[in-house]
Amino acid sequence: MLGWNADPWSRRRVGLLLFVLTPAVFLGGGLLSASNALSRVIGPKEAAACTPQTVKAPPQNSFTVNVLNAEGPKGAARAVAKELPLRQFVPGEVGNAQVDTRVVQGIGEIRFGPSGQDQALLVQKLLLPQARMLRDYRPNTSVDLVLGPQFTALKPPDGPLVRRADVVVNVYNTTYYEGLGKSTSDGMVALGFARGAVGLDPQNSWIQDAAAIRFGPDGELGAKLVKEAVPDARLLPDPSNTTATVDLLIGMKWTALAPADKLTVEPPKQALGEIEVDRPCPKS
């Protein structure tokens, strides 16, 4: 190392070197301190905002919906499962949820696997918007609709659950007026109903008033639509009817069907595969 007794030229070179380096050292330290202070003021860099991706959901009838009751009202799972086909969903397993260490709370849960997110989002959107979404490891696209203790009913549909075209109407003439069954059946088809059997009542009933509408437990919604077309008819529940088919029994005081403009206007049914869902942003 050079001492201060070195020759003048050496001392001059050392002084020049110190003159050049000293400001750089102080400047570098100042910049580092300023950078640290600025980062404390501004904070860490925030991640870019994510916008949910809107996509077309798979058709309702392209996957299975299992309905499981977890402390919901008694019989709720079976009632919901019966309603699913009316909403174009395919019901799968129906019963009670298995008891595990985690208790289902609130209105319920929607459980799905890695390949069933869009299906689950569709179930949530159309059936139970307040339900909690819960991913599991199932290998298929099936969805579990788990009914919780606060469940009361599914989300009301945008249109009617049953339309006239969905209702098969058998027309039975219990009078001695010939041809009345055929002409009435033609009139019901003209109003938009699906044609069923035409002829004499297989139960050999004799209706002395205007008409009766006979239906089973699954045909109540259809029977109410038939009632619009035949306002003078009385509703006649029939527990033995295990189908959704409705029987129109023509009576002795029969008059005529209601005109088409007196029936409720039915909105068009949304086509399968045309409903959109929003995929949420992935969790960091």
Side-chain angles (χ1 to χ4, degrees):
M1 179 177 180
L2 293 173
W4 290 110
N5 293 325
D7 64 90
W9 173 242
S10 298
R11 289 199 302 270
R12 190 177 299 115
R13 282 187 298 176
V14 171
L16 182 61
L17 184 61
L18 292 174
F19 176 79
V20 173
L21 293 180
T22 300
V25 171
F26 281 103
L27 180 60
L31 289 175
L32 181 61
S33 299
S35 176
N36 291 336
L38 187 61
S39 66
R40 288 194 296 269
V41 173
I42 298 177
K45 184 179 180 181
E46 295 183 358
C50 170
T51 302
Q53 182 185 8
T54 300
V55 297
K56 283 188 177 181
Q60 295 97 295
N61 62 357
S62 65
F63 61 97
T64 299
V65 179
N66 305 312
V67 186
L68 307 175
N69 196 344
E71 303 300 327
K74 184 178 180 180
R78 187 172 298 278
V80 168
K82 281 190 174 183
E83 193 172 324
L84 290 182
L86 302 179
R87 296 172 180 259
Q88 304 185 80
F89 286 97
V90 179
E93 178 187 351
V94 181
N96 294 323
Q98 293 184 354
V99 178
D100 52 24
T101 56
R102 187 180 48 78
V103 177
V104 176
Q105 299 178 345
I107 197 169
E109 295 177 349
I110 296 172
R111 302 174 184 172
F112 61 99
S115 59
Q117 176 179 258
D118 291 348
Q119 288 82 354
L121 290 171
L122 182 65
V123 170
Q124 184 186 48
K125 180 175 184 176
L126 297 185
L127 301 182
L128 211 59
Q130 297 82 20
R132 177 190 177 195
M133 300 285 280
L134 188 66
R135 186 189 297 268
D136 56 27
Y137 298 100
R138 71 189 63 198
N140 53 44
T141 59
S142 68
V143 176
D144 291 352
L145 182 58
V146 185
L147 309 179
Q150 295 181 14
F151 173 80
T152 54
L154 297 177
K155 175 186 175 182
D158 293 334
L161 285 176
V162 175
R163 289 169 167 79
R164 287 185 284 274
D166 302 323
V167 184
V168 178
V169 182
N170 301 322
V171 180
Y172 297 132
N173 185 3
T174 73
T175 75
Y176 44 75
Y177 301 113
E178 294 184 1
L180 195 55
K182 176 65 167 58
S183 62
T184 302
S185 180
D186 290 343
M188 293 295 288
V189 171
L191 291 176
F193 292 93
R195 191 189 304 274
V198 180
L200 301 177
D201 182 19
Q203 296 188 22
N204 297 318
S205 59
W206 182 35
I207 306 301
Q208 300 186 46
D209 49 356
I213 300 169
R214 191 170 59 204
F215 60 96
D218 294 340
E220 183 175 2
L221 295 177
K224 291 178 179 179
L225 293 180
V226 175
K227 172 73 173 172
E228 278 193 344
V230 194
D232 294 335
R234 54 188 169 90
L235 295 174
L236 186 63
D238 178 15
S240 67
N241 185 353
T242 58
T243 72
T245 302
V246 177
D247 298 339
L248 174 58
L249 309 175
I250 299 174
M252 296 298 296
K253 296 182 179 180
W254 173 262
T255 53
L257 297 172
D261 59 4
K262 296 298 182 181
L263 305 186
T264 300
V265 177
E266 296 178 341
K269 185 181 295 186
Q270 191 164 11
L272 288 168
E274 294 299 320
I275 300 175
E276 294 182 336
V277 296
D278 295 327
R279 291 176 181 167
C281 297
K283 295 181 179 180
S284 57

